[in-house]
Amino acid sequence: METQKNYFCSDMGVMLGRSMRHIFRSMDTILTVTVTPIVMMLLFVYVFGGAIQTGTDNYVNYLLPGSLLIAIASGISYTAYRLFLDMQRGIFERFHSMPIARSAALWGHVLTSLVSNAMSVTVIIIVALLMGFRSQAGVLEWLAVAGILALVTLALTWVAAIAGLSAKSIDGATGFSYPIIFLPFISSAFVPTESMPKVVRAFAENQPATSIVESIRALLYGQPVGNDLWIALAWCVGIMIVAYLIAMQVYKQRA
Amino acid sequence: MNSNQNKAIQVNGLQKAYKKLQVLKGVDFEVEKGSIFALLGSNGAGKTTIIKILTTLLKKDVGTASVNGFDVATRPGLVRQSISLTGQFAAVDEVLTGRENLIMIAKLRHLENPRQVADELLNRFSLADAADRRVVTYSGGMSRRLDIAMSLVGKPQLIFLDEPTTGLDPEGRIEVWKTVKALAANGTTVFLTTQYLEEAEQLADQIAILHEGKIIANGTLADLKKLFPPAKVEYIEKQPTLEEIFLAIIGKKEEK
Protein backbone atom coordinates (compact mmCIF):
# COMPACT_ATOMS: atom_id res chain seq x y z
CA MET A 1 0.00 0.00 0.00
CA GLU A 2 2.87 2.37 0.77
CA THR A 3 4.30 2.03 -2.71
CA GLN A 4 0.90 2.86 -4.15
CA LYS A 5 0.76 6.17 -2.31
CA ASN A 6 4.24 7.19 -3.39
CA TYR A 7 3.28 6.69 -7.01
CA PHE A 8 -0.10 8.42 -6.83
CA CYS A 9 1.16 11.63 -8.46
CA SER A 10 3.03 9.93 -11.28
CA ASP A 11 0.03 7.64 -11.92
CA MET A 12 -2.19 10.70 -12.11
CA GLY A 13 0.25 12.22 -14.57
CA VAL A 14 -0.07 9.16 -16.82
CA MET A 15 -3.88 9.28 -16.59
CA LEU A 16 -3.83 13.00 -17.39
CA GLY A 17 -1.59 12.43 -20.41
CA ARG A 18 -3.96 9.77 -21.67
CA SER A 19 -7.13 11.87 -21.44
CA MET A 20 -5.44 14.97 -22.83
CA ARG A 21 -4.55 12.91 -25.92
CA HIS A 22 -8.22 11.96 -26.13
CA ILE A 23 -9.15 15.64 -26.14
CA PHE A 24 -6.57 16.77 -28.68
CA ARG A 25 -7.43 13.90 -31.02
CA SER A 26 -11.14 14.68 -30.94
CA MET A 27 -12.09 17.52 -33.26
CA ASP A 28 -15.59 17.38 -31.84
CA THR A 29 -14.35 18.10 -28.31
CA ILE A 30 -12.18 21.03 -29.35
CA LEU A 31 -14.99 22.53 -31.45
CA THR A 32 -17.57 22.23 -28.70
CA VAL A 33 -15.54 23.46 -25.76
CA THR A 34 -13.75 26.41 -27.35
CA VAL A 35 -15.00 27.24 -30.82
CA THR A 36 -18.70 27.23 -29.89
CA PRO A 37 -18.35 29.61 -26.93
CA ILE A 38 -16.20 31.89 -29.08
CA VAL A 39 -18.75 31.90 -31.91
CA MET A 40 -21.47 32.65 -29.36
CA MET A 41 -19.43 35.52 -27.99
CA LEU A 42 -18.98 36.92 -31.52
CA LEU A 43 -22.70 36.50 -32.19
CA PHE A 44 -23.77 38.23 -29.01
CA VAL A 45 -21.32 41.09 -29.37
CA TYR A 46 -21.57 41.81 -33.10
CA VAL A 47 -25.16 40.72 -33.86
CA PHE A 48 -27.31 41.10 -30.76
CA GLY A 49 -24.97 43.37 -28.84
CA GLY A 50 -26.10 46.60 -30.47
CA ALA A 51 -29.64 46.05 -29.25
CA ILE A 52 -28.77 44.93 -25.73
CA GLN A 53 -28.71 47.66 -23.06
CA THR A 54 -26.46 46.65 -20.19
CA GLY A 55 -25.41 50.05 -19.00
CA THR A 56 -21.77 49.35 -19.90
CA ASP A 57 -19.99 50.85 -22.86
CA ASN A 58 -18.26 47.59 -23.79
CA TYR A 59 -20.54 44.55 -24.17
CA VAL A 60 -17.58 42.08 -24.39
CA ASN A 61 -16.68 43.06 -20.86
CA TYR A 62 -20.23 42.37 -19.77
CA LEU A 63 -20.65 38.92 -21.33
CA LEU A 64 -17.20 37.39 -20.86
CA PRO A 65 -17.93 35.78 -17.44
CA GLY A 66 -21.07 34.10 -18.82
CA SER A 67 -19.20 32.84 -21.88
CA LEU A 68 -16.62 31.25 -19.62
CA LEU A 69 -19.36 29.49 -17.63
CA ILE A 70 -20.89 28.09 -20.82
CA ALA A 71 -17.48 26.86 -21.97
CA ILE A 72 -16.94 25.07 -18.66
CA ALA A 73 -20.43 23.55 -18.73
CA SER A 74 -19.85 22.10 -22.19
CA GLY A 75 -16.35 21.02 -21.20
CA ILE A 76 -17.56 18.89 -18.31
CA SER A 77 -20.08 17.09 -20.49
CA TYR A 78 -17.05 15.60 -22.28
CA THR A 79 -15.68 14.47 -18.94
CA ALA A 80 -18.89 12.51 -18.45
CA TYR A 81 -18.56 11.17 -21.99
CA ARG A 82 -14.99 9.93 -21.47
CA LEU A 83 -15.84 8.41 -18.10
CA PHE A 84 -18.83 6.62 -19.60
CA LEU A 85 -16.70 5.11 -22.38
CA ASP A 86 -14.07 3.96 -19.90
CA MET A 87 -16.76 2.25 -17.84
CA GLN A 88 -18.20 0.55 -20.92
CA ARG A 89 -14.92 -0.76 -22.22
CA GLY A 90 -12.53 -2.93 -20.30
CA ILE A 91 -9.93 -0.25 -19.60
CA PHE A 92 -11.17 0.54 -16.06
CA GLU A 93 -11.02 -3.16 -15.20
CA ARG A 94 -7.47 -3.27 -16.37
CA PHE A 95 -6.51 -0.23 -14.25
CA HIS A 96 -8.32 -1.64 -11.25
CA SER A 97 -6.52 -4.97 -11.47
CA MET A 98 -3.14 -3.20 -11.59
CA PRO A 99 -1.06 -2.17 -8.59
CA ILE A 100 -2.21 1.45 -8.67
CA ALA A 101 -4.57 3.29 -6.35
CA ARG A 102 -8.13 2.35 -7.22
CA SER A 103 -9.26 5.95 -7.33
CA ALA A 104 -6.43 7.05 -9.67
CA ALA A 105 -8.51 6.26 -12.75
CA LEU A 106 -11.34 8.51 -11.57
CA TRP A 107 -9.13 11.32 -10.26
CA GLY A 108 -7.30 11.26 -13.58
CA HIS A 109 -10.54 12.35 -15.24
CA VAL A 110 -11.12 15.07 -12.64
CA LEU A 111 -7.62 16.46 -13.12
CA THR A 112 -8.07 16.35 -16.90
CA SER A 113 -11.28 18.31 -16.54
CA LEU A 114 -9.48 21.03 -14.55
CA VAL A 115 -6.57 21.27 -16.98
CA SER A 116 -8.62 21.17 -20.19
CA ASN A 117 -11.16 23.71 -18.93
CA ALA A 118 -8.35 26.00 -17.84
CA MET A 119 -7.00 25.79 -21.38
CA SER A 120 -10.31 26.56 -23.09
CA VAL A 121 -11.00 29.42 -20.65
CA THR A 122 -7.58 30.87 -21.47
CA VAL A 123 -8.21 30.67 -25.22
CA ILE A 124 -11.59 32.37 -24.82
CA ILE A 125 -10.09 35.18 -22.72
CA ILE A 126 -7.44 35.75 -25.39
CA VAL A 127 -10.13 36.01 -28.09
CA ALA A 128 -12.10 38.38 -25.85
CA LEU A 129 -8.99 40.56 -25.52
CA LEU A 130 -8.81 40.73 -29.32
CA MET A 131 -12.48 41.75 -29.34
CA GLY A 132 -11.77 44.64 -27.02
CA PHE A 133 -12.15 43.12 -23.56
CA ARG A 134 -10.21 45.18 -21.01
CA SER A 135 -9.93 44.77 -17.25
CA GLN A 136 -8.36 46.83 -14.49
CA ALA A 137 -7.97 43.73 -12.32
CA GLY A 138 -4.60 43.17 -10.65
CA VAL A 139 -2.84 39.87 -9.95
CA LEU A 140 -4.88 39.21 -6.81
CA GLU A 141 -8.20 39.78 -8.56
CA TRP A 142 -7.16 37.52 -11.44
CA LEU A 143 -6.13 34.81 -8.97
CA ALA A 144 -9.53 35.12 -7.30
CA VAL A 145 -11.25 34.80 -10.70
CA ALA A 146 -9.13 31.72 -11.48
CA GLY A 147 -10.04 30.28 -8.08
CA ILE A 148 -13.77 30.77 -8.65
CA LEU A 149 -13.58 29.23 -12.13
CA ALA A 150 -11.58 26.27 -10.79
CA LEU A 151 -14.16 25.73 -8.08
CA VAL A 152 -17.00 25.91 -10.61
CA THR A 153 -15.15 23.38 -12.78
CA LEU A 154 -14.58 21.02 -9.86
CA ALA A 155 -18.19 21.21 -8.68
CA LEU A 156 -19.55 20.58 -12.19
CA THR A 157 -16.97 17.86 -12.85
CA TRP A 158 -18.28 15.84 -9.92
CA VAL A 159 -21.82 16.32 -11.22
CA ALA A 160 -20.53 15.05 -14.57
CA ALA A 161 -18.88 12.12 -12.82
CA ILE A 162 -22.24 10.98 -11.43
CA ALA A 163 -23.70 11.08 -14.95
CA GLY A 164 -20.73 9.37 -16.58
CA LEU A 165 -20.51 6.62 -13.97
CA SER A 166 -24.19 5.81 -13.70
CA ALA A 167 -25.50 6.39 -17.24
CA LYS A 168 -26.72 3.44 -19.26
CA SER A 169 -26.32 5.13 -22.64
CA ILE A 170 -24.12 7.77 -24.17
CA ASP A 171 -27.09 10.17 -24.37
CA GLY A 172 -27.72 9.79 -20.67
CA ALA A 173 -24.05 10.43 -19.96
CA THR A 174 -23.96 13.76 -21.77
CA GLY A 175 -27.59 14.95 -21.74
CA PHE A 176 -27.42 16.20 -18.16
CA SER A 177 -25.17 19.04 -19.24
CA TYR A 178 -27.72 20.87 -21.40
CA PRO A 179 -29.66 22.37 -18.48
CA ILE A 180 -26.33 23.47 -16.99
CA ILE A 181 -25.24 25.05 -20.28
CA PHE A 182 -28.56 26.93 -20.36
CA LEU A 183 -28.39 28.25 -16.80
CA PRO A 184 -26.21 31.25 -17.75
CA PHE A 185 -28.85 32.35 -20.30
CA ILE A 186 -31.41 32.74 -17.52
CA SER A 187 -29.04 34.74 -15.37
CA SER A 188 -27.40 38.14 -15.48
CA ALA A 189 -24.72 36.72 -17.83
CA PHE A 190 -26.03 38.31 -21.05
CA VAL A 191 -28.60 40.89 -19.99
CA PRO A 192 -29.35 42.58 -16.65
CA THR A 193 -32.06 40.71 -14.73
CA GLU A 194 -34.06 43.95 -14.26
CA SER A 195 -35.43 43.56 -17.80
CA MET A 196 -36.93 40.11 -17.13
CA PRO A 197 -40.55 39.30 -16.13
CA LYS A 198 -41.07 38.84 -12.39
CA VAL A 199 -40.96 35.02 -12.12
CA VAL A 200 -38.02 34.61 -14.49
CA ARG A 201 -36.23 37.40 -12.68
CA ALA A 202 -36.75 35.71 -9.32
CA PHE A 203 -35.28 32.49 -10.70
CA ALA A 204 -32.41 34.29 -12.43
CA GLU A 205 -31.40 36.21 -9.34
CA ASN A 206 -31.43 33.18 -7.08
CA GLN A 207 -29.64 30.58 -9.18
CA PRO A 208 -25.89 29.95 -8.92
CA ALA A 209 -24.89 31.33 -12.36
CA THR A 210 -25.89 34.89 -11.45
CA SER A 211 -23.87 35.07 -8.25
CA ILE A 212 -20.87 33.50 -9.99
CA VAL A 213 -21.11 35.89 -12.95
CA GLU A 214 -21.59 38.92 -10.69
CA SER A 215 -18.59 38.01 -8.51
CA ILE A 216 -16.31 37.57 -11.51
CA ARG A 217 -17.57 40.83 -13.01
CA ALA A 218 -16.96 42.70 -9.77
CA LEU A 219 -13.41 41.31 -9.55
CA LEU A 220 -12.59 42.11 -13.18
CA TYR A 221 -13.97 45.63 -13.24
CA GLY A 222 -12.98 46.89 -9.81
CA GLN A 223 -16.45 47.00 -8.29
CA PRO A 224 -17.17 46.01 -4.68
CA VAL A 225 -17.64 42.23 -4.57
CA GLY A 226 -20.22 42.14 -1.79
CA ASN A 227 -22.37 39.16 -0.91
CA ASP A 228 -22.32 37.63 -4.37
CA LEU A 229 -18.92 36.10 -3.79
CA TRP A 230 -20.02 34.29 -0.64
CA ILE A 231 -23.22 33.09 -2.26
CA ALA A 232 -21.25 31.85 -5.28
CA LEU A 233 -18.73 30.05 -3.08
CA ALA A 234 -21.50 28.46 -1.01
CA TRP A 235 -23.20 27.17 -4.17
CA CYS A 236 -19.98 25.76 -5.61
CA VAL A 237 -18.74 24.13 -2.42
CA GLY A 238 -22.20 22.75 -1.63
CA ILE A 239 -22.69 21.26 -5.10
CA MET A 240 -19.15 19.92 -5.08
CA ILE A 241 -19.48 18.12 -1.74
CA VAL A 242 -22.87 16.57 -2.48
CA ALA A 243 -21.88 15.52 -6.02
CA TYR A 244 -18.53 14.15 -4.82
CA LEU A 245 -20.17 11.97 -2.18
CA ILE A 246 -22.75 10.60 -4.62
CA ALA A 247 -20.16 10.03 -7.37
CA MET A 248 -17.85 8.16 -4.98
CA GLN A 249 -20.73 5.97 -3.87
CA VAL A 250 -21.62 5.13 -7.48
CA TYR A 251 -17.94 4.51 -8.28
CA LYS A 252 -17.63 2.02 -5.43
CA GLN A 253 -20.74 0.18 -6.53
CA ARG A 254 -20.22 0.11 -10.25
CA ALA A 255 -16.52 0.15 -10.97
CA MET B 1 3.85 -24.84 2.91
CA ASN B 2 6.02 -26.44 0.27
CA SER B 3 3.07 -27.68 -1.72
CA ASN B 4 1.51 -24.21 -1.49
CA GLN B 5 4.49 -22.63 -3.15
CA ASN B 6 3.82 -24.58 -6.30
CA LYS B 7 0.28 -23.28 -6.50
CA ALA B 8 -0.51 -20.16 -8.44
CA ILE B 9 -4.12 -20.20 -7.32
CA GLN B 10 -5.91 -21.89 -4.43
CA VAL B 11 -9.67 -21.56 -4.10
CA ASN B 12 -11.71 -23.13 -1.31
CA GLY B 13 -15.47 -23.12 -0.80
CA LEU B 14 -15.91 -19.90 -2.77
CA GLN B 15 -19.43 -18.47 -2.79
CA LYS B 16 -20.84 -15.35 -4.35
CA ALA B 17 -24.36 -14.08 -4.80
CA TYR B 18 -25.66 -11.04 -6.67
CA LYS B 19 -28.60 -10.02 -4.50
CA LYS B 20 -30.64 -13.22 -4.38
CA LEU B 21 -29.01 -14.95 -7.32
CA GLN B 22 -26.44 -17.43 -6.03
CA VAL B 23 -23.81 -17.56 -8.78
CA LEU B 24 -21.03 -19.51 -7.06
CA LYS B 25 -22.13 -22.23 -4.66
CA GLY B 26 -18.87 -23.47 -3.20
CA VAL B 27 -16.09 -23.57 -5.77
CA ASP B 28 -12.82 -25.41 -5.09
CA PHE B 29 -9.80 -25.74 -7.34
CA GLU B 30 -6.06 -25.26 -7.53
CA VAL B 31 -3.80 -24.15 -10.34
CA GLU B 32 -0.17 -25.25 -10.61
CA LYS B 33 2.46 -22.63 -11.29
CA GLY B 34 3.54 -22.48 -14.93
CA SER B 35 0.52 -24.36 -16.25
CA ILE B 36 -2.36 -23.40 -18.50
CA PHE B 37 -5.65 -23.79 -16.66
CA ALA B 38 -8.91 -23.60 -18.57
CA LEU B 39 -12.21 -22.93 -16.86
CA LEU B 40 -15.00 -24.18 -19.09
CA GLY B 41 -18.61 -23.24 -18.74
CA SER B 42 -21.63 -21.99 -20.62
CA ASN B 43 -22.66 -18.33 -20.65
CA GLY B 44 -23.65 -17.16 -17.20
CA ALA B 45 -22.02 -20.08 -15.41
CA GLY B 46 -19.98 -17.71 -13.25
CA LYS B 47 -16.60 -17.84 -15.01
CA THR B 48 -16.20 -14.08 -15.10
CA THR B 49 -17.31 -13.83 -11.46
CA ILE B 50 -14.46 -16.16 -10.47
CA ILE B 51 -11.97 -14.09 -12.49
CA LYS B 52 -13.23 -10.87 -10.92
CA ILE B 53 -12.81 -12.27 -7.42
CA LEU B 54 -9.31 -13.57 -8.16
CA THR B 55 -8.23 -10.26 -9.69
CA THR B 56 -9.58 -8.29 -6.67
CA LEU B 57 -12.27 -6.52 -8.70
CA LEU B 58 -15.07 -8.16 -6.74
CA LYS B 59 -15.41 -9.27 -3.11
CA LYS B 60 -16.32 -12.86 -2.34
CA ASP B 61 -19.10 -13.72 0.12
CA VAL B 62 -17.75 -16.95 1.64
CA GLY B 63 -14.64 -19.09 1.24
CA THR B 64 -10.96 -18.38 0.67
CA ALA B 65 -8.99 -17.57 -2.43
CA SER B 66 -5.29 -16.93 -2.73
CA VAL B 67 -3.23 -15.92 -5.72
CA ASN B 68 0.53 -16.50 -5.78
CA GLY B 69 0.28 -17.17 -2.05
CA PHE B 70 -1.52 -13.88 -1.23
CA ASP B 71 -5.08 -13.85 0.08
CA VAL B 72 -7.23 -11.81 -2.32
CA ALA B 73 -9.31 -10.35 0.50
CA THR B 74 -6.53 -9.26 2.85
CA ARG B 75 -3.59 -8.59 0.49
CA PRO B 76 -5.17 -7.20 -2.68
CA GLY B 77 -2.21 -4.90 -3.33
CA LEU B 78 0.26 -7.78 -3.47
CA VAL B 79 -2.11 -9.84 -5.59
CA ARG B 80 -2.33 -7.01 -8.12
CA GLN B 81 1.47 -6.73 -8.22
CA SER B 82 1.76 -10.33 -9.40
CA ILE B 83 -1.09 -10.65 -11.90
CA SER B 84 -2.52 -9.18 -15.06
CA LEU B 85 -6.06 -9.27 -16.36
CA THR B 86 -7.17 -9.39 -19.96
CA GLY B 87 -10.90 -8.96 -19.65
CA GLN B 88 -13.68 -10.10 -21.89
CA PHE B 89 -13.80 -6.83 -23.77
CA ALA B 90 -10.45 -5.74 -25.14
CA ALA B 91 -9.03 -3.38 -22.51
CA VAL B 92 -7.14 -1.23 -24.98
CA ASP B 93 -7.42 2.49 -25.51
CA GLU B 94 -8.62 2.89 -29.09
CA VAL B 95 -7.72 6.56 -29.31
CA LEU B 96 -4.08 5.89 -28.52
CA THR B 97 -1.61 4.05 -30.76
CA GLY B 98 -0.41 0.55 -29.94
CA ARG B 99 2.89 1.94 -28.73
CA GLU B 100 1.22 4.57 -26.53
CA ASN B 101 -0.98 1.91 -24.95
CA LEU B 102 2.04 -0.19 -23.99
CA ILE B 103 4.02 2.79 -22.73
CA MET B 104 1.06 3.89 -20.62
CA ILE B 105 0.84 0.50 -18.90
CA ALA B 106 4.63 0.35 -18.45
CA LYS B 107 4.53 3.75 -16.74
CA LEU B 108 1.64 2.67 -14.51
CA ARG B 109 3.69 -0.37 -13.53
CA HIS B 110 6.55 2.02 -12.76
CA LEU B 111 9.10 0.31 -14.99
CA GLU B 112 12.48 1.82 -15.76
CA ASN B 113 12.34 2.01 -19.56
CA PRO B 114 8.74 2.20 -20.75
CA ARG B 115 9.77 2.80 -24.40
CA GLN B 116 12.08 -0.17 -24.50
CA VAL B 117 9.49 -2.43 -22.86
CA ALA B 118 6.95 -1.29 -25.46
CA ASP B 119 9.33 -1.92 -28.36
CA GLU B 120 10.12 -5.44 -27.17
CA LEU B 121 6.46 -6.38 -26.84
CA LEU B 122 5.55 -4.80 -30.18
CA ASN B 123 8.16 -6.97 -31.87
CA ARG B 124 7.23 -10.08 -29.97
CA PHE B 125 3.55 -9.72 -30.92
CA SER B 126 4.26 -8.74 -34.55
CA LEU B 127 2.75 -5.31 -34.02
CA ALA B 128 5.85 -3.27 -34.85
CA ASP B 129 4.49 -2.17 -38.23
CA ALA B 130 1.23 -1.00 -36.71
CA ALA B 131 2.85 0.48 -33.60
CA ASP B 132 2.15 4.11 -34.44
CA ARG B 133 -1.35 3.64 -35.77
CA ARG B 134 -4.36 4.30 -33.59
CA VAL B 135 -5.81 1.09 -32.20
CA VAL B 136 -9.22 1.90 -33.67
CA THR B 137 -7.76 0.90 -37.06
CA TYR B 138 -6.61 -2.54 -35.81
CA SER B 139 -8.34 -5.82 -36.72
CA GLY B 140 -9.97 -7.86 -33.95
CA GLY B 141 -6.99 -10.22 -33.79
CA MET B 142 -4.49 -7.36 -33.60
CA SER B 143 -6.45 -5.64 -30.81
CA ARG B 144 -6.53 -8.86 -28.87
CA ARG B 145 -2.77 -9.35 -29.36
CA LEU B 146 -2.14 -5.82 -28.13
CA ASP B 147 -4.48 -6.49 -25.22
CA ILE B 148 -2.48 -9.56 -24.22
CA ALA B 149 0.82 -7.71 -24.80
CA MET B 150 -0.40 -5.00 -22.40
CA SER B 151 -1.05 -7.70 -19.83
CA LEU B 152 2.54 -8.88 -20.12
CA VAL B 153 4.10 -5.52 -19.32
CA GLY B 154 6.12 -5.93 -16.16
CA LYS B 155 6.25 -9.74 -16.54
CA PRO B 156 3.48 -10.77 -14.13
CA GLN B 157 3.70 -14.37 -12.92
CA LEU B 158 0.07 -15.10 -13.65
CA ILE B 159 -2.21 -13.82 -16.35
CA PHE B 160 -5.97 -14.09 -16.51
CA LEU B 161 -7.59 -14.28 -19.92
CA ASP B 162 -11.37 -14.01 -19.85
CA GLU B 163 -12.72 -15.58 -23.05
CA PRO B 164 -9.71 -14.44 -25.07
CA THR B 165 -11.02 -15.66 -28.43
CA THR B 166 -14.70 -14.77 -28.23
CA GLY B 167 -15.60 -12.70 -31.25
CA LEU B 168 -12.40 -13.44 -33.18
CA ASP B 169 -12.25 -14.99 -36.64
CA PRO B 170 -10.51 -18.39 -37.01
CA GLU B 171 -7.17 -16.81 -37.88
CA GLY B 172 -7.34 -14.45 -34.94
CA ARG B 173 -8.15 -17.37 -32.69
CA ILE B 174 -5.12 -19.33 -33.84
CA GLU B 175 -2.93 -16.25 -33.30
CA VAL B 176 -4.15 -16.04 -29.71
CA TRP B 177 -3.60 -19.75 -29.15
CA LYS B 178 -0.01 -19.46 -30.32
CA THR B 179 0.51 -16.53 -27.98
CA VAL B 180 -0.90 -18.41 -24.99
CA LYS B 181 1.29 -21.45 -25.69
CA ALA B 182 4.35 -19.24 -25.97
CA LEU B 183 3.50 -17.60 -22.64
CA ALA B 184 3.30 -20.89 -20.82
CA ALA B 185 6.53 -22.03 -22.46
CA ASN B 186 8.18 -19.01 -20.84
CA GLY B 187 6.94 -20.04 -17.40
CA THR B 188 3.93 -17.72 -17.05
CA THR B 189 0.88 -19.29 -15.48
CA VAL B 190 -2.21 -18.78 -17.63
CA PHE B 191 -5.76 -18.90 -16.31
CA LEU B 192 -8.28 -18.74 -19.12
CA THR B 193 -12.00 -19.09 -19.41
CA THR B 194 -13.69 -20.27 -22.55
CA GLN B 195 -16.95 -21.59 -23.85
CA TYR B 196 -15.19 -23.46 -26.65
CA LEU B 197 -14.35 -27.04 -25.81
CA GLU B 198 -11.83 -27.17 -28.62
CA GLU B 199 -9.94 -24.25 -27.13
CA ALA B 200 -9.54 -25.98 -23.79
CA GLU B 201 -8.50 -29.14 -25.55
CA GLN B 202 -5.88 -27.32 -27.64
CA LEU B 203 -4.32 -25.32 -24.84
CA ALA B 204 -4.93 -26.47 -21.34
CA ASP B 205 -2.83 -28.63 -19.07
CA GLN B 206 -5.74 -28.74 -16.69
CA ILE B 207 -9.44 -28.27 -17.39
CA ALA B 208 -12.21 -27.53 -14.89
CA ILE B 209 -15.86 -27.48 -15.83
CA LEU B 210 -18.04 -24.97 -14.00
CA HIS B 211 -21.73 -25.78 -14.01
CA GLU B 212 -24.50 -24.21 -11.95
CA GLY B 213 -22.07 -22.62 -9.53
CA LYS B 214 -19.89 -25.64 -8.85
CA ILE B 215 -16.87 -27.36 -10.40
CA ILE B 216 -18.30 -30.64 -11.64
CA ALA B 217 -15.16 -32.01 -13.25
CA ASN B 218 -11.49 -31.13 -12.93
CA GLY B 219 -8.35 -32.71 -14.33
CA THR B 220 -6.16 -33.16 -17.39
CA LEU B 221 -7.77 -33.87 -20.72
CA ALA B 222 -6.81 -37.55 -20.24
CA ASP B 223 -8.46 -37.55 -16.79
CA LEU B 224 -11.66 -36.12 -18.20
CA LYS B 225 -11.70 -38.62 -21.04
CA LYS B 226 -11.52 -41.44 -18.50
CA LEU B 227 -14.83 -40.29 -17.07
CA PHE B 228 -16.51 -41.46 -20.22
CA PRO B 229 -16.91 -44.98 -21.60
CA PRO B 230 -13.83 -46.26 -23.46
CA ALA B 231 -13.55 -45.26 -27.08
CA LYS B 232 -15.08 -47.59 -29.62
CA VAL B 233 -13.27 -48.12 -32.89
CA GLU B 234 -15.46 -47.10 -35.77
CA TYR B 235 -14.65 -46.46 -39.37
CA ILE B 236 -16.01 -43.19 -40.65
CA GLU B 237 -15.15 -41.09 -43.63
CA LYS B 238 -13.69 -37.86 -42.32
CA GLN B 239 -14.95 -34.81 -44.19
CA PRO B 240 -12.90 -31.65 -43.70
CA THR B 241 -14.70 -29.11 -41.54
CA LEU B 242 -15.53 -25.76 -43.06
CA GLU B 243 -12.92 -24.23 -40.76
CA GLU B 244 -10.21 -26.55 -42.12
CA ILE B 245 -11.25 -25.69 -45.67
CA PHE B 246 -11.24 -21.97 -44.88
CA LEU B 247 -7.81 -22.08 -43.32
CA ALA B 248 -6.41 -24.24 -46.12
CA ILE B 249 -7.59 -21.80 -48.80
CA ILE B 250 -6.31 -18.79 -46.89
CA GLY B 251 -2.98 -20.55 -46.31
CA LYS B 252 -2.56 -21.29 -50.04
CA LYS B 253 -3.34 -17.72 -50.96
CA GLU B 254 -0.73 -16.44 -48.57
CA GLU B 255 1.91 -18.84 -49.95
CA LYS B 256 1.41 -17.37 -53.41
Side-chain angles (χ1 to χ4, degrees), chain B residues 117-183:
Chain B
V117 172
D119 283 338
E120 278 167 22
L121 284 165
L122 287 165
N123 284 326
R124 184 165 149 203
F125 284 86
S126 325
L127 289 167
D129 292 338
D132 297 311
R133 263 167 46 199
R134 289 193 202 178
V135 174
V136 74
T137 65
Y138 284 20
S139 70
M142 286 165 77
S143 281
R144 209 55 180 161
R145 281 204 319 263
L146 176 65
D147 201 12
I148 296 174
M150 282 163 75
S151 291
L152 294 183
V153 171
K155 302 192 177 68
Q157 304 157 40
L158 166 60
I159 93 161
F160 290 90
L161 301 169
D162 195 2
E163 303 200 3
T165 60
T166 299
L168 290 188
D169 58 19
E171 284 175 283
R173 200 160 73 213
I174 289 168
E175 277 177 25
V176 170
W177 287 355
K178 273 191 203 155
T179 310
V180 171
K181 283 179 186 162
L183 281 182

Side-chain angles (χ1 to χ4, degrees), chain A:
Chain A
M1 292 306 265
E2 285 155 18
T3 51
Q4 291 183 11
K5 283 205 179 110
N6 292 341
Y7 285 120
F8 192 76
C9 289
S10 79
D11 291 347
M12 292 279 290
V14 176
M15 297 288 180
L16 175 69
R18 164 175 181 257
S19 318
M20 290 310 289
R21 284 198 170 98
H22 280 236
I23 292 172
F24 282 114
R25 287 174 193 181
S26 156
M27 214 32 171
D28 180 49
T29 312
I30 296 172
L31 282 176
T32 311
V33 303
T34 51
V35 178
T36 310
I38 287 169
V39 169
M40 249 168 47
M41 213 157 60
L42 292 170
L43 194 70
F44 267 90
V45 171
Y46 297 120
V47 181
F48 307 139
I52 296 175
Q53 297 301 319
T54 58
T56 49
D57 46 359
N58 188 344
Y59 188 49
V60 189
N61 283 358
Y62 189 83
L63 103 172
L64 179 66
S67 303
L68 298 179
L69 281 195
I70 288 173
I72 292 172
S74 32
I76 55 111
S77 80
Y78 280 90
T79 302
Y81 170 78
R82 288 188 293 270
L83 251 175
F84 174 78
L85 289 185
D86 277 3
M87 292 283 288
Q88 289 296 298
R89 296 174 187 158
I91 199 97
F92 260 28
E93 282 193 354
R94 182 186 289 285
F95 290 150
H96 290 158
S97 65
M98 287 177 65
I100 53 178
R102 202 178 168 78
S103 55
L106 181 58
W107 278 101
H109 281 283
V110 174
L111 185 63
T112 304
S113 180
L114 274 176
V115 172
S116 62
N117 277 306
M119 288 166 76
S120 59
V121 160
T122 309
V123 171
I124 293 167
I125 291 175
I126 290 170
V127 173
L129 280 170
L130 295 175
M131 290 167 66
F133 155 67
R134 295 293 177 267
S135 158
Q136 330 45 338
V139 176
L140 271 182
E141 283 84 4
W142 273 109
L143 280 178
V145 169
I148 294 173
L149 291 173
L151 208 56
V152 170
T153 308
L154 263 184
L156 293 182
T157 297
W158 284 108
V159 174
I162 301 174
L165 290 168
S166 58
K168 299 204 165 48
S169 69
I170 204 97
D171 298 335
T174 55
F176 78 98
S177 67
Y178 293 110
I180 302 179
I181 294 173
F182 271 99
L183 271 187
F185 288 103
I186 318 167
S187 77
S188 64
F190 297 99
V191 292
T193 53
E194 287 80 20
S195 62
M196 300 174 187
K198 219 174 176 185
V199 180
V200 182
R201 182 177 171 184
F203 174 79
E205 287 178 352
N206 290 295
Q207 60 117 328
T210 297
S211 55
I212 294 165
V213 165
E214 293 296 333
S215 323
I216 295 175
R217 231 175 241 155
L219 287 164
L220 288 181
Y221 310 120
Q223 297 150 6
V225 179
N227 269 341
D228 282 323
L229 182 63
W230 301 113
I231 297 170
L233 290 181
W235 272 112
C236 291
V237 172
I239 292 171
M240 183 169 69
I241 291 172
V242 173
Y244 170 80
L245 291 175
I246 298 174
M248 275 303 187
Q249 202 58 36
V250 179
Y251 189 60
K252 270 186 203 145
Q253 277 169 11
R254 298 211 41 187

Side-chain angles (χ1 to χ4, degrees), chain B residues 80-97:
Chain B
R80 290 200 285 264
Q81 290 276 2
S82 66
I83 61 156
S84 237
L85 166 66
T86 305
Q88 221 174 92
F89 307 102
V92 295
D93 189 324
E94 294 193 331
V95 177
L96 304 184
T97 66

